[in-house]
């Protein structure tokens, strides 16, 4: 059954323009169709190989999650940190561990899980941060939306970073560090600089 239609199309493989006899023709000829098929199959094989690689990489982690007792090396793999950091957690008392032999330390999986479910006590807040929080309380608990970051103060009043730091220190302006940013109250800064 032949068609009387002649449609100008672009080959999806080589990109050349050709005259097609149907509206669904994708390739200019049999050679391009075969090359596109091979490319498609090659891409499927690469994707399958990548999935298998990810699965092989994830398998040890899944096995570690199923174990009840873990070594320090296994804990470091599970937490994606160094063995030294795991030993720091053990020595600080945040992570419970047992020494079976001189060089064999074992951690229970439940102790590792409880490390992330426990709420830290107020005693674990560093002294400097506790001081900043008390300064913030004395200043009257400003909301973050009522505060500037130090960069915003520099940009708004066109002053240098050292000038901002001197201003804060000289006038005892409360400053709180939250995440990456240090915040100062807008009202106090505006009164001083306007």
């Amino acid at each position: 059954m032949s068609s009387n239609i002649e449609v100008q199309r672009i080959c999806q493989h080589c990109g050349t323009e050709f005259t097609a006899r149907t509206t669904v023709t994708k390739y200019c000829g049999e050679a391009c169709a075969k090359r596109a098929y091979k490319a498609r199959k090659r891409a499927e094989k690469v994707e399958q190989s990548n999935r298998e690689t990810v699965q092989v990489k994830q398998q040890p982690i899944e096995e570690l999650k199923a174990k009840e007792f873990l070594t320090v090396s296994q804990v470091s793999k599970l937490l994606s940190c160094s063995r030294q950091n795991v030993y720091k957690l053990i020595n600080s008392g945040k992570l419970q561990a047992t020494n079976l032999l001189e060089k064999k330390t074992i951690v229970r999986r439940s102790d590792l899980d409880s490390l992330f479910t426990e709420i830290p006590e107020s005693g674990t807040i560093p002294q400097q941060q506790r001081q900043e929080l008390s300064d913030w309380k004395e200043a009257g608990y400003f909301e973050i939306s009522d505060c500037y970051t130090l960069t915003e103060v520099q940009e708004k009043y066109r002053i240098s970073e050292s000038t901002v730091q001197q201003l804060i220190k000289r006038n005892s302006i409360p400053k709180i560090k939250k995440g990456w940013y240090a915040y100062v109250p807008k009202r106090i800064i505006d009164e001083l600089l306007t």
Side-chain angles (χ1 to χ4, degrees):
M1 181 171 171
S2 65
S3 172
N4 294 334
I5 302 173
E6 288 188 359
V7 181
Q8 290 301 111
R9 299 201 44 122
I10 304 287
C11 179
Q12 290 186 2
H13 182 69
C14 66
T16 59
E17 188 174 341
F18 69 98
T19 304
R21 309 282 263 155
T22 67
T23 57
V24 293
T25 305
K26 295 180 181 179
Y27 306 107
C28 60
E30 191 176 340
C32 275
K34 286 181 179 179
R35 288 186 194 118
Y37 174 78
K38 284 184 179 180
R40 200 168 49 248
K41 287 299 178 184
R42 190 179 310 119
E44 287 174 7
K45 286 181 182 179
V46 168
E47 187 179 334
Q48 175 65 25
S49 175
N50 289 341
R51 276 197 303 263
E52 288 172 1
T53 302
V54 168
Q55 191 175 14
V56 167
K57 283 183 177 179
Q58 293 293 331
Q59 186 177 6
I61 300 294
E62 295 302 321
E63 289 174 3
L64 290 178
K65 287 180 180 178
K67 285 187 174 184
E68 187 177 348
F69 296 99
L70 303 166
T71 64
V72 172
S73 297
Q74 291 170 337
V75 171
S76 69
K77 284 180 188 174
L78 204 55
L79 296 178
S80 298
C81 68
S82 67
R83 291 174 63 237
Q84 288 79 10
N85 284 337
V86 175
Y87 280 116
K88 284 179 185 176
L89 286 171
I90 292 169
N91 292 335
S92 68
K94 292 180 180 178
L95 182 62
Q96 298 294 321
T98 304
N99 279 343
L100 294 180
L101 300 171
E102 188 175 319
K103 293 187 177 184
K104 187 73 167 180
T105 302
I106 299 293
V107 176
R108 275 192 311 196
R109 176 61 203 225
S110 59
D111 291 335
L112 184 62
D113 292 339
S114 67
L115 179 68
F116 297 103
T117 56
E118 291 178 359
I119 299 170
E121 300 171 10
S122 60
T124 60
I125 298 173
Q127 177 62 33
Q128 181 182 359
Q129 196 172 4
R130 269 188 271 158
Q131 180 63 41
E132 288 173 353
L133 285 170
S134 69
D135 292 347
W136 198 250
K137 287 178 186 176
E138 289 172 15
Y141 278 123
F142 293 95
E143 292 290 324
I144 294 297
S145 60
D146 298 331
C147 298
Y148 292 124
T149 63
L150 300 185
T151 308
E152 289 173 338
V153 174
Q154 291 173 34
E155 291 172 359
K156 182 173 182 178
Y157 293 103
R158 290 183 167 71
I159 55 178
S160 68
E161 182 180 354
S162 60
T163 306
V164 173
Q165 294 292 348
Q166 289 172 0
L167 181 75
I168 291 169
K169 189 173 184 181
R170 195 176 328 121
N171 295 298
S172 301
I173 298 172
K175 175 176 77 169
I176 189 71
K177 193 158 171 64
K178 192 164 189 172
W180 291 97
Y181 301 102
Y183 293 92
V184 289
K186 286 181 181 178
R187 182 177 51 83
I188 297 173
I189 293 293
D190 290 339
E191 286 174 6
L192 286 170
L193 296 175
T194 52

